[in-house]
Amino acid sequence: MAVKKTENAETKKTVKKTAGKTATKTATKKAVKDTSKVEVKITPKKSILFVASEANPFAGTGGLADVIGSLPKALAKNGNYDVRVVIPLYQSVTSAWRDTFRFVGNFNVPLSWRNQYCGVFTTKYEGVTFYFIDNEYYFKRSGLYGHGDDGERFAFFSKAVLEMMSYLDYYPDLMHSHDWQSALSVIYLKTLYKDRERYDKIRALFTIHNIEYQGKFGFDMFADVFGLPEYAYDMVEYDGCINLMKGAIQLAEKFSTVSRTYASEIKDSFFAHGLQNIIAENEYKMTGILNGIDEDVYSAKKDEKLFANYTATDLSGKKVCKEELQKMLNLPVNEEIPMISIITRLVSQKGLDLIKAVFEDILAENVQVVILGTGDKEYEDYFVDVANRYEGKCRTIIAYNKDLASKIYSGTDIFLMPSKHEPCGLSQMIACKYATVPVVRSTGGLADSIKAYNDEERKSGNGFKFYNYNAHEMLYVIKDAIYTFGNKKEWTKLQKSAIKTDFTWKKSACEYEKLFENILN
Ligand code: GLC
């Protein structure tokens, strides 16, 4: 039943023009007819296809989904590019969303010796065209990742994206691929598809959201699953295995990462998880652009999940949020006790070892601490155990729950994020938008987004920073934040400066546009 569709009909438009008012009455009928309808070719907007494994609001597990849900929207709003996004159609995409999708068609995708079904659905959401790659064998499963055949699943996805282009007769000028799950889209484009007409013109940009996850596989995957040609071996081999991120970095016209500081950090072996030499070799084509957030979504004024809304000029709703949160968590209701929140994936990258080292010292202060997140069992067990021992002071909720996250961001006073490394980090920005003052370790995007009050002679700043990965240095700065909380005038100044910080995509979307322009010209 699939009908091949031409999706870029917008490229040619007929513009009607009325004949000039000065036309004399003596002009012949023919001449008037000739000028009444002029066919004008409008240069089509350049087109960008975002290729990623998750995008809000359809399917997500973390920061990547936020970025793919908000950057294309910001770019579409700017109006300079035709922006589209493609992600897999996971089981978790709700039927309410699916009801809004249109089936475009289906075709088969060759993947080594396999020949797999691929359906394509589409919808337009907030100015952006989204495509969804459907294959129930690969994507009708619980969770987005963590299956034994993730390599094959995302190889299929990447190959399907390239096959979709010829099926739709839609060839973007630029393919912008993200993280290891989409790295093969770049590798395929620059190997198997590089000599095919129209594919040969597509440029590739690859963005690293976290260099820790590189897509490493055994050599057996090279031909049998990825179906790569022999000459591509050197492009994807690294350090005794197949490394998809390495391949994408090398083959893309440019690559980027999600903050300027992280871009310089990943030249170092401490941050690069083995890829430092590849980063150094390709540094000439690397850029760091800080992520923004969707301030329509993360907004103390608009967020309907809050107990009360508030703004920079009237923070009174935040008091209600704190009181209701204390009641909800069964903690003593007292606005004078500073509340510290930690909302994170419970993994070592997030600096949880530092917290563990001095957690009981923190709890010795007059504070309340709330932890929300899921992750490694070691940390889950630890924080549950401490919460059990410090009943009236500490609550641990093992969950990934956006509703509750909003209530905690808004109801607490201090947001703790002591990451060991942090490519960008969005939580510190979100906390600011709820007038919750972040205490962060200065690394990656945390360094670039938080200006330290404790460094600026306490005159300006939107948070507190410490520098070394050292638990006592962190403890010292947390105590400083607690002490400052006691000074209402200073604290309100900090809260206002935090909530007023501009974390929109405005500036960063422009930086991306410059980068696109640079690649396309
Ligand atoms: C990853 C990084 C995080 C970043 C996000 C979006 O999750 O760990 O720092 O904010 O991607 O780019």
Side-chain angles (χ1 to χ4, degrees), residues 49-55 64 68 85-88 90 145 150-151 153-159 161-162 175-189 204-209 213-215 217 244-249 252:
L49 179 66
F50 280 71
V51 184
S53 57
E54 43 183 271
L64 176 63
I68 306 302
V85 178
V86 58
I87 64 167
Y90 299 103
Y145 316 117
D150 279 0
R153 295 169 71 222
F154 292 102
F156 166 78
F157 168 64
S158 297
K159 200 76 183 296
V161 168
L162 292 174
M175 186 176 79
H176 187 178
S177 305
H178 299 258
D179 274 352
W180 80 262
Q181 293 88 345
S182 308
L184 269 166
S185 63
V186 178
I187 297 165
Y188 287 141
L189 178 70
L205 167 63
F206 181 68
T207 294
I208 301 170
H209 292 262
Y213 307 100
Q214 298 172 4
F217 297 95
L244 298 180
M245 187 171 267
K246 178 245 180 179
I249 291 171

Tab-separated table of all heavy atoms in Angstrom, residues 49-55 64 68 85-88 90 145 150-151 153-159 161-162 175-189 204-209 213-215 217 244-249 252:
chain	number	residue	atom	x	y	z
A	49	LEU	N	18.809	17.335	8.998
A	49	LEU	CA	18.146	16.192	9.633
A	49	LEU	C	18.913	15.808	10.892
A	49	LEU	O	20.094	15.444	10.823
A	49	LEU	CB	18.097	15.001	8.668
A	49	LEU	CG	17.452	13.737	9.241
A	49	LEU	CD1	15.957	13.943	9.531
A	49	LEU	CD2	17.629	12.538	8.303
A	50	PHE	N	18.237	15.909	12.045
A	50	PHE	CA	18.816	15.448	13.306
A	50	PHE	C	18.584	13.942	13.428
A	50	PHE	O	17.442	13.486	13.325
A	50	PHE	CB	18.130	16.131	14.496
A	50	PHE	CG	18.638	17.527	14.761
A	50	PHE	CD1	18.346	18.564	13.906
A	50	PHE	CD2	19.395	17.785	15.894
A	50	PHE	CE1	18.825	19.851	14.154
A	50	PHE	CE2	19.877	19.063	16.157
A	50	PHE	CZ	19.589	20.093	15.282
A	51	VAL	N	19.642	13.202	13.641
A	51	VAL	CA	19.527	11.754	13.829
A	51	VAL	C	19.922	11.455	15.271
A	51	VAL	O	21.054	11.736	15.676
A	51	VAL	CB	20.462	10.993	12.868
A	51	VAL	CG1	20.260	9.493	13.003
A	51	VAL	CG2	20.245	11.445	11.428
A	52	ALA	N	18.983	10.902	16.041
A	52	ALA	CA	19.286	10.669	17.460
A	52	ALA	C	18.470	9.503	17.986
A	52	ALA	O	17.486	9.084	17.370
A	52	ALA	CB	18.986	11.929	18.270
A	53	SER	N	18.879	8.990	19.124
A	53	SER	CA	18.182	7.823	19.680
A	53	SER	C	17.067	8.221	20.645
A	53	SER	O	16.330	7.363	21.111
A	53	SER	CB	19.180	6.913	20.380
A	53	SER	OG	19.868	7.639	21.379
A	54	GLU	N	16.949	9.518	20.969
A	54	GLU	CA	15.816	9.921	21.812
A	54	GLU	C	15.472	11.387	21.597
A	54	GLU	O	16.336	12.180	21.216
A	54	GLU	CB	16.062	9.634	23.291
A	54	GLU	CG	17.434	9.965	23.840
A	54	GLU	CD	17.568	9.551	25.316
A	54	GLU	OE1	17.234	10.361	26.186
A	54	GLU	OE2	17.982	8.410	25.591
A	55	ALA	N	14.217	11.729	21.816
A	55	ALA	CA	13.776	13.123	21.681
A	55	ALA	C	12.526	13.332	22.519
A	55	ALA	O	11.559	12.588	22.404
A	55	ALA	CB	13.467	13.443	20.218
A	64	LEU	N	20.018	14.029	26.487
A	64	LEU	CA	19.973	13.988	25.022
A	64	LEU	C	18.554	14.263	24.519
A	64	LEU	O	18.352	15.021	23.561
A	64	LEU	CB	20.466	12.613	24.527
A	64	LEU	CG	20.396	12.374	23.026
A	64	LEU	CD1	21.289	13.352	22.258
A	64	LEU	CD2	20.799	10.934	22.679
A	68	ILE	N	17.411	17.168	21.906
A	68	ILE	CA	16.794	16.887	20.599
A	68	ILE	C	15.334	17.361	20.584
A	68	ILE	O	14.746	17.601	19.539
A	68	ILE	CB	16.899	15.370	20.260
A	68	ILE	CG1	18.361	14.912	20.346
A	68	ILE	CG2	16.356	15.074	18.855
A	68	ILE	CD1	19.340	15.652	19.439
A	85	VAL	N	13.733	15.752	12.374
A	85	VAL	CA	14.368	14.871	13.369
A	85	VAL	C	13.930	13.445	13.097
A	85	VAL	O	12.770	13.210	12.744
A	85	VAL	CB	13.901	15.248	14.803
A	85	VAL	CG1	14.512	14.308	15.835
A	85	VAL	CG2	14.239	16.697	15.150
A	86	VAL	N	14.832	12.499	13.246
A	86	VAL	CA	14.415	11.093	13.146
A	86	VAL	C	14.907	10.314	14.362
A	86	VAL	O	16.047	10.463	14.788
A	86	VAL	CB	14.881	10.458	11.801
A	86	VAL	CG1	16.391	10.536	11.619
A	86	VAL	CG2	14.395	9.019	11.678
A	87	ILE	N	13.979	9.539	14.952
A	87	ILE	CA	14.314	8.676	16.099
A	87	ILE	C	13.619	7.315	15.906
A	87	ILE	O	12.713	7.201	15.082
A	87	ILE	CB	13.866	9.287	17.462
A	87	ILE	CG1	12.332	9.425	17.527
A	87	ILE	CG2	14.523	10.628	17.718
A	87	ILE	CD1	11.806	9.706	18.939
A	88	PRO	N	14.002	6.308	16.661
A	88	PRO	CA	13.298	5.023	16.574
A	88	PRO	C	11.890	5.122	17.189
A	88	PRO	O	11.665	5.933	18.100
A	88	PRO	CB	14.161	4.078	17.410
A	88	PRO	CG	15.504	4.742	17.536
A	88	PRO	CD	15.197	6.214	17.537
A	90	TYR	N	9.962	3.606	19.592
A	90	TYR	CA	10.048	2.675	20.723
A	90	TYR	C	8.656	2.294	21.215
A	90	TYR	O	7.685	3.038	21.032
A	90	TYR	CB	10.793	3.315	21.896
A	90	TYR	CG	12.213	3.712	21.610
A	90	TYR	CD1	12.547	5.048	21.389
A	90	TYR	CD2	13.230	2.761	21.567
A	90	TYR	CE1	13.858	5.433	21.140
A	90	TYR	CE2	14.546	3.136	21.316
A	90	TYR	CZ	14.848	4.472	21.104
A	90	TYR	OH	16.143	4.849	20.854
A	145	TYR	N	17.394	1.308	25.952
A	145	TYR	CA	18.714	0.698	25.774
A	145	TYR	C	18.881	-0.475	26.742
A	145	TYR	O	18.008	-0.768	27.533
A	145	TYR	CB	19.827	1.715	26.079
A	145	TYR	CG	19.606	3.082	25.503
A	145	TYR	CD1	19.467	4.199	26.327
A	145	TYR	CD2	19.539	3.263	24.123
A	145	TYR	CE1	19.279	5.459	25.790
A	145	TYR	CE2	19.348	4.522	23.578
A	145	TYR	CZ	19.206	5.621	24.425
A	145	TYR	OH	19.013	6.862	23.907
A	150	ASP	N	22.063	-4.199	21.258
A	150	ASP	CA	21.961	-2.750	20.994
A	150	ASP	C	22.785	-2.339	19.764
A	150	ASP	O	22.380	-1.445	19.014
A	150	ASP	CB	22.412	-1.932	22.215
A	150	ASP	CG	21.301	-1.813	23.262
A	150	ASP	OD1	20.196	-2.360	23.019
A	150	ASP	OD2	21.540	-1.187	24.314
A	151	GLY	N	23.919	-2.996	19.572
A	151	GLY	CA	24.757	-2.673	18.407
A	151	GLY	C	23.967	-2.876	17.117
A	151	GLY	O	23.949	-2.026	16.234
A	153	ARG	N	20.656	-3.107	16.867
A	153	ARG	CA	19.458	-2.261	16.852
A	153	ARG	C	19.766	-0.871	16.296
A	153	ARG	O	19.051	-0.329	15.472
A	153	ARG	CB	18.882	-2.130	18.274
A	153	ARG	CG	18.363	-3.451	18.832
A	153	ARG	CD	18.053	-3.333	20.308
A	153	ARG	NE	16.864	-2.524	20.538
A	153	ARG	CZ	16.738	-1.614	21.493
A	153	ARG	NH1	17.758	-1.371	22.310
A	153	ARG	NH2	15.629	-0.935	21.639
A	154	PHE	N	20.888	-0.304	16.751
A	154	PHE	CA	21.176	1.061	16.295
A	154	PHE	C	21.898	1.085	14.946
A	154	PHE	O	21.856	2.104	14.253
A	154	PHE	CB	21.884	1.851	17.397
A	154	PHE	CG	20.926	2.096	18.536
A	154	PHE	CD1	20.976	1.343	19.697
A	154	PHE	CD2	19.897	3.015	18.385
A	154	PHE	CE1	20.037	1.527	20.714
A	154	PHE	CE2	18.958	3.208	19.387
A	154	PHE	CZ	19.027	2.459	20.554
A	155	ALA	N	22.479	-0.062	14.562
A	155	ALA	CA	22.990	-0.166	13.187
A	155	ALA	C	21.779	-0.163	12.247
A	155	ALA	O	21.760	0.544	11.230
A	155	ALA	CB	23.791	-1.442	13.016
A	156	PHE	N	20.763	-0.926	12.607
A	156	PHE	CA	19.535	-0.934	11.794
A	156	PHE	C	18.948	0.469	11.702
A	156	PHE	O	18.601	0.955	10.623
A	156	PHE	CB	18.500	-1.898	12.395
A	156	PHE	CG	17.134	-1.682	11.816
A	156	PHE	CD1	16.815	-2.169	10.559
A	156	PHE	CD2	16.183	-0.937	12.504
A	156	PHE	CE1	15.564	-1.914	9.994
A	156	PHE	CE2	14.934	-0.675	11.960
A	156	PHE	CZ	14.620	-1.173	10.694
A	157	PHE	N	18.855	1.131	12.844
A	157	PHE	CA	18.279	2.483	12.863
A	157	PHE	C	19.061	3.408	11.919
A	157	PHE	O	18.489	4.115	11.088
A	157	PHE	CB	18.302	3.026	14.303
A	157	PHE	CG	17.996	4.489	14.405
A	157	PHE	CD1	16.752	4.983	14.044
A	157	PHE	CD2	18.966	5.390	14.846
A	157	PHE	CE1	16.472	6.351	14.127
A	157	PHE	CE2	18.696	6.751	14.932
A	157	PHE	CZ	17.444	7.239	14.569
A	158	SER	N	20.388	3.373	12.032
A	158	SER	CA	21.227	4.274	11.228
A	158	SER	C	21.081	3.979	9.735
A	158	SER	O	20.976	4.888	8.916
A	158	SER	CB	22.696	4.111	11.631
A	158	SER	OG	22.864	4.492	12.971
A	159	LYS	N	21.054	2.691	9.420
A	159	LYS	CA	20.917	2.304	8.004
A	159	LYS	C	19.538	2.697	7.502
A	159	LYS	O	19.391	3.195	6.373
A	159	LYS	CB	21.100	0.783	7.917
A	159	LYS	CG	21.468	0.229	6.561
A	159	LYS	CD	22.914	0.461	6.211
A	159	LYS	CE	23.305	-0.020	4.834
A	159	LYS	NZ	23.190	-1.464	4.648
A	161	VAL	N	17.740	5.152	8.440
A	161	VAL	CA	17.684	6.607	8.219
A	161	VAL	C	18.182	6.931	6.812
A	161	VAL	O	17.576	7.724	6.082
A	161	VAL	CB	18.536	7.349	9.280
A	161	VAL	CG1	18.722	8.814	8.903
A	161	VAL	CG2	17.888	7.224	10.656
A	162	LEU	N	19.268	6.279	6.399
A	162	LEU	CA	19.819	6.560	5.065
A	162	LEU	C	18.887	6.033	3.969
A	162	LEU	O	18.680	6.682	2.947
A	162	LEU	CB	21.211	5.958	4.929
A	162	LEU	CG	22.234	6.662	5.833
A	162	LEU	CD1	23.570	5.966	5.812
A	162	LEU	CD2	22.415	8.118	5.439
A	175	MET	N	23.382	16.280	7.739
A	175	MET	CA	22.872	15.288	8.684
A	175	MET	C	23.605	15.527	10.002
A	175	MET	O	24.828	15.511	10.044
A	175	MET	CB	23.161	13.890	8.144
A	175	MET	CG	22.550	12.784	8.967
A	175	MET	SD	22.834	11.172	8.210
A	175	MET	CE	24.514	10.890	8.696
A	176	HIS	N	22.835	15.790	11.044
A	176	HIS	CA	23.431	16.091	12.348
A	176	HIS	C	23.156	14.910	13.290
A	176	HIS	O	22.041	14.756	13.786
A	176	HIS	CB	22.818	17.402	12.883
A	176	HIS	CG	23.468	17.888	14.141
A	176	HIS	ND1	23.112	19.052	14.762
A	176	HIS	CD2	24.453	17.361	14.910
A	176	HIS	CE1	23.849	19.217	15.849
A	176	HIS	NE2	24.656	18.199	15.964
A	177	SER	N	24.171	14.091	13.498
A	177	SER	CA	23.978	12.855	14.265
A	177	SER	C	24.548	12.996	15.674
A	177	SER	O	25.525	13.715	15.880
A	177	SER	CB	24.659	11.696	13.547
A	177	SER	OG	24.178	11.615	12.218
A	178	HIS	N	23.926	12.265	16.606
A	178	HIS	CA	24.243	12.457	18.020
A	178	HIS	C	24.586	11.145	18.731
A	178	HIS	O	23.820	10.190	18.662
A	178	HIS	CB	23.037	13.096	18.733
A	178	HIS	CG	22.695	14.439	18.154
A	178	HIS	ND1	23.047	15.614	18.749
A	178	HIS	CD2	22.074	14.771	16.993
A	178	HIS	CE1	22.643	16.621	18.001
A	178	HIS	NE2	22.046	16.136	16.923
A	179	ASP	N	25.712	11.171	19.419
A	179	ASP	CA	26.149	10.062	20.270
A	179	ASP	C	26.327	8.738	19.512
A	179	ASP	O	25.982	8.620	18.345
A	179	ASP	CB	25.204	9.899	21.468
A	179	ASP	CG	25.609	10.810	22.642
A	179	ASP	OD1	26.684	11.428	22.560
A	179	ASP	OD2	24.858	10.884	23.620
A	180	TRP	N	26.836	7.730	20.225
A	180	TRP	CA	27.261	6.513	19.517
A	180	TRP	C	26.104	5.808	18.805
A	180	TRP	O	26.299	5.193	17.764
A	180	TRP	CB	27.972	5.537	20.473
A	180	TRP	CG	27.050	4.694	21.336
A	180	TRP	CD1	26.700	4.935	22.623
A	180	TRP	CD2	26.386	3.480	20.956
A	180	TRP	NE1	25.842	3.958	23.080
A	180	TRP	CE2	25.634	3.052	22.074
A	180	TRP	CE3	26.343	2.712	19.784
A	180	TRP	CZ2	24.850	1.893	22.049
A	180	TRP	CZ3	25.560	1.562	19.768
A	180	TRP	CH2	24.827	1.156	20.889
A	181	GLN	N	24.892	5.929	19.349
A	181	GLN	CA	23.765	5.208	18.748
A	181	GLN	C	23.500	5.656	17.307
A	181	GLN	O	22.900	4.927	16.531
A	181	GLN	CB	22.489	5.381	19.572
A	181	GLN	CG	22.508	4.727	20.948
A	181	GLN	CD	23.073	5.631	22.024
A	181	GLN	OE1	23.711	6.649	21.758
A	181	GLN	NE2	22.846	5.251	23.274
A	182	SER	N	23.910	6.877	16.979
A	182	SER	CA	23.688	7.376	15.617
A	182	SER	C	24.995	7.506	14.842
A	182	SER	O	24.997	7.993	13.712
A	182	SER	CB	23.012	8.751	15.670
A	182	SER	OG	21.871	8.691	16.489
A	183	ALA	N	26.086	7.079	15.458
A	183	ALA	CA	27.403	7.245	14.815
A	183	ALA	C	27.457	6.512	13.476
A	183	ALA	O	28.071	6.985	12.517
A	183	ALA	CB	28.500	6.732	15.751
A	184	LEU	N	26.788	5.351	13.400
A	184	LEU	CA	26.846	4.595	12.141
A	184	LEU	C	26.162	5.327	10.994
A	184	LEU	O	26.463	5.069	9.832
A	184	LEU	CB	26.227	3.205	12.332
A	184	LEU	CG	27.226	2.109	12.755
A	184	LEU	CD1	26.482	0.872	13.238
A	184	LEU	CD2	28.185	1.727	11.622
A	185	SER	N	25.247	6.254	11.288
A	185	SER	CA	24.630	6.995	10.178
A	185	SER	C	25.715	7.790	9.455
A	185	SER	O	25.719	7.875	8.227
A	185	SER	CB	23.487	7.897	10.669
A	185	SER	OG	23.975	8.881	11.559
A	186	VAL	N	26.669	8.334	10.207
A	186	VAL	CA	27.779	9.074	9.598
A	186	VAL	C	28.702	8.095	8.861
A	186	VAL	O	29.111	8.331	7.730
A	186	VAL	CB	28.586	9.834	10.675
A	186	VAL	CG1	29.763	10.557	10.049
A	186	VAL	CG2	27.693	10.804	11.433
A	187	ILE	N	28.992	6.978	9.526
A	187	ILE	CA	29.929	6.013	8.938
A	187	ILE	C	29.356	5.431	7.633
A	187	ILE	O	30.050	5.343	6.626
A	187	ILE	CB	30.253	4.902	9.967
A	187	ILE	CG1	30.958	5.531	11.185
A	187	ILE	CG2	31.116	3.814	9.349
A	187	ILE	CD1	31.021	4.642	12.418
A	188	TYR	N	28.087	5.067	7.649
A	188	TYR	CA	27.467	4.554	6.412
A	188	TYR	C	27.467	5.608	5.315
A	188	TYR	O	27.804	5.338	4.169
A	188	TYR	CB	26.019	4.104	6.676
A	188	TYR	CG	25.893	2.814	7.460
A	188	TYR	CD1	24.904	2.669	8.437
A	188	TYR	CD2	26.731	1.725	7.211
A	188	TYR	CE1	24.763	1.489	9.159
A	188	TYR	CE2	26.604	0.542	7.935
A	188	TYR	CZ	25.616	0.430	8.912
A	188	TYR	OH	25.479	-0.738	9.616
A	189	LEU	N	27.081	6.832	5.693
A	189	LEU	CA	27.005	7.904	4.693
A	189	LEU	C	28.344	8.089	3.993
A	189	LEU	O	28.401	8.284	2.780
A	189	LEU	CB	26.582	9.220	5.372
A	189	LEU	CG	26.516	10.451	4.456
A	189	LEU	CD1	25.346	10.330	3.478
A	189	LEU	CD2	26.385	11.741	5.258
A	204	ALA	N	28.087	15.927	7.052
A	204	ALA	CA	27.764	15.319	8.351
A	204	ALA	C	28.398	16.080	9.502
A	204	ALA	O	29.556	16.478	9.439
A	204	ALA	CB	28.225	13.870	8.362
A	205	LEU	N	27.580	16.286	10.539
A	205	LEU	CA	28.063	16.859	11.792
A	205	LEU	C	27.741	15.845	12.882
A	205	LEU	O	26.639	15.310	12.921
A	205	LEU	CB	27.334	18.189	12.069
A	205	LEU	CG	27.470	18.796	13.469
A	205	LEU	CD1	28.918	19.166	13.775
A	205	LEU	CD2	26.595	20.054	13.590
A	206	PHE	N	28.729	15.575	13.721
A	206	PHE	CA	28.519	14.598	14.787
A	206	PHE	C	28.693	15.285	16.135
A	206	PHE	O	29.682	15.997	16.340
A	206	PHE	CB	29.524	13.447	14.639
A	206	PHE	CG	29.372	12.376	15.681
A	206	PHE	CD1	28.249	11.556	15.691
A	206	PHE	CD2	30.340	12.193	16.672
A	206	PHE	CE1	28.093	10.568	16.666
A	206	PHE	CE2	30.187	11.208	17.642
A	206	PHE	CZ	29.066	10.393	17.631
A	207	THR	N	27.738	15.098	17.032
A	207	THR	CA	27.840	15.731	18.352
A	207	THR	C	27.991	14.683	19.452
A	207	THR	O	27.236	13.708	19.506
A	207	THR	CB	26.618	16.629	18.629
A	207	THR	OG1	26.650	17.712	17.698
A	207	THR	CG2	26.655	17.212	20.032
A	208	ILE	N	28.990	14.923	20.293
A	208	ILE	CA	29.246	14.034	21.441
A	208	ILE	C	28.545	14.624	22.663
A	208	ILE	O	28.869	15.723	23.093
A	208	ILE	CB	30.761	13.968	21.742
A	208	ILE	CG1	31.521	13.460	20.525
A	208	ILE	CG2	31.031	13.124	22.972
A	208	ILE	CD1	33.046	13.595	20.685
A	209	HIS	N	27.611	13.883	23.215
A	209	HIS	CA	26.954	14.334	24.450
A	209	HIS	C	27.634	13.743	25.673
A	209	HIS	O	27.478	14.252	26.771
A	209	HIS	CB	25.465	13.965	24.428
A	209	HIS	CG	24.711	14.737	23.392
A	209	HIS	ND1	23.982	15.855	23.677
A	209	HIS	CD2	24.624	14.575	22.050
A	209	HIS	CE1	23.451	16.347	22.569
A	209	HIS	NE2	23.832	15.585	21.559
A	213	TYR	N	30.407	6.938	26.593
A	213	TYR	CA	29.687	5.873	25.878
A	213	TYR	C	30.036	5.961	24.397
A	213	TYR	O	29.544	6.826	23.683
A	213	TYR	CB	28.183	6.016	26.111
A	213	TYR	CG	27.837	6.091	27.591
A	213	TYR	CD1	27.574	7.309	28.212
A	213	TYR	CD2	27.842	4.940	28.376
A	213	TYR	CE1	27.304	7.389	29.571
A	213	TYR	CE2	27.582	5.008	29.739
A	213	TYR	CZ	27.312	6.237	30.329
A	213	TYR	OH	27.063	6.301	31.674
A	214	GLN	N	30.914	5.051	23.947
A	214	GLN	CA	31.495	5.203	22.609
A	214	GLN	C	30.952	4.223	21.575
A	214	GLN	O	31.237	4.347	20.396
A	214	GLN	CB	33.023	5.049	22.700
A	214	GLN	CG	33.652	6.125	23.573
A	214	GLN	CD	35.122	5.914	23.858
A	214	GLN	OE1	35.744	4.979	23.341
A	214	GLN	NE2	35.690	6.763	24.690
A	215	GLY	N	30.202	3.218	22.022
A	215	GLY	CA	29.747	2.201	21.075
A	215	GLY	C	30.910	1.312	20.667
A	215	GLY	O	31.361	1.335	19.534
A	217	PHE	N	32.528	-2.414	20.116
A	217	PHE	CA	32.077	-3.771	19.819
A	217	PHE	C	33.251	-4.631	19.355
A	217	PHE	O	34.275	-4.114	18.923
A	217	PHE	CB	30.998	-3.734	18.728
A	217	PHE	CG	29.766	-2.978	19.171
A	217	PHE	CD1	29.617	-1.629	18.866
A	217	PHE	CD2	28.789	-3.598	19.943
A	217	PHE	CE1	28.506	-0.919	19.304
A	217	PHE	CE2	27.678	-2.883	20.386
A	217	PHE	CZ	27.539	-1.548	20.063
A	244	LEU	N	32.590	2.977	17.349
A	244	LEU	CA	31.729	3.726	16.424
A	244	LEU	C	31.896	5.235	16.581
A	244	LEU	O	31.868	5.984	15.613
A	244	LEU	CB	30.262	3.321	16.615
A	244	LEU	CG	29.956	1.843	16.334
A	244	LEU	CD1	28.471	1.548	16.564
A	244	LEU	CD2	30.353	1.451	14.911
A	245	MET	N	32.088	5.684	17.832
A	245	MET	CA	32.264	7.124	18.041
A	245	MET	C	33.522	7.604	17.332
A	245	MET	O	33.528	8.649	16.682
A	245	MET	CB	32.308	7.443	19.535
A	245	MET	CG	32.310	8.925	19.826
A	245	MET	SD	32.102	9.283	21.582
A	245	MET	CE	30.346	9.509	21.742
A	246	LYS	N	34.573	6.821	17.431
A	246	LYS	CA	35.827	7.183	16.741
A	246	LYS	C	35.569	7.313	15.240
A	246	LYS	O	36.019	8.275	14.594
A	246	LYS	CB	36.888	6.117	17.024
A	246	LYS	CG	38.197	6.367	16.318
A	246	LYS	CD	38.503	5.287	15.294
A	246	LYS	CE	39.822	5.525	14.579
A	246	LYS	NZ	40.153	4.499	13.611
A	247	GLY	N	34.856	6.359	14.669
A	247	GLY	CA	34.572	6.395	13.230
A	247	GLY	C	33.825	7.661	12.842
A	247	GLY	O	34.164	8.326	11.853
A	248	ALA	N	32.819	8.016	13.635
A	248	ALA	CA	32.005	9.197	13.308
A	248	ALA	C	32.827	10.471	13.442
A	248	ALA	O	32.713	11.381	12.620
A	248	ALA	CB	30.774	9.240	14.195
A	249	ILE	N	33.682	10.542	14.468
A	249	ILE	CA	34.521	11.739	14.649
A	249	ILE	C	35.417	11.915	13.425
A	249	ILE	O	35.585	13.002	12.891
A	249	ILE	CB	35.385	11.611	15.924
A	249	ILE	CG1	34.510	11.688	17.171
A	249	ILE	CG2	36.477	12.689	15.964
A	249	ILE	CD1	35.232	11.371	18.471
A	252	ALA	N	33.031	12.544	9.941
A	252	ALA	CA	32.139	13.707	9.808
A	252	ALA	C	32.954	14.923	9.364
A	252	ALA	O	34.141	15.023	9.672
A	252	ALA	CB	31.461	13.991	11.143
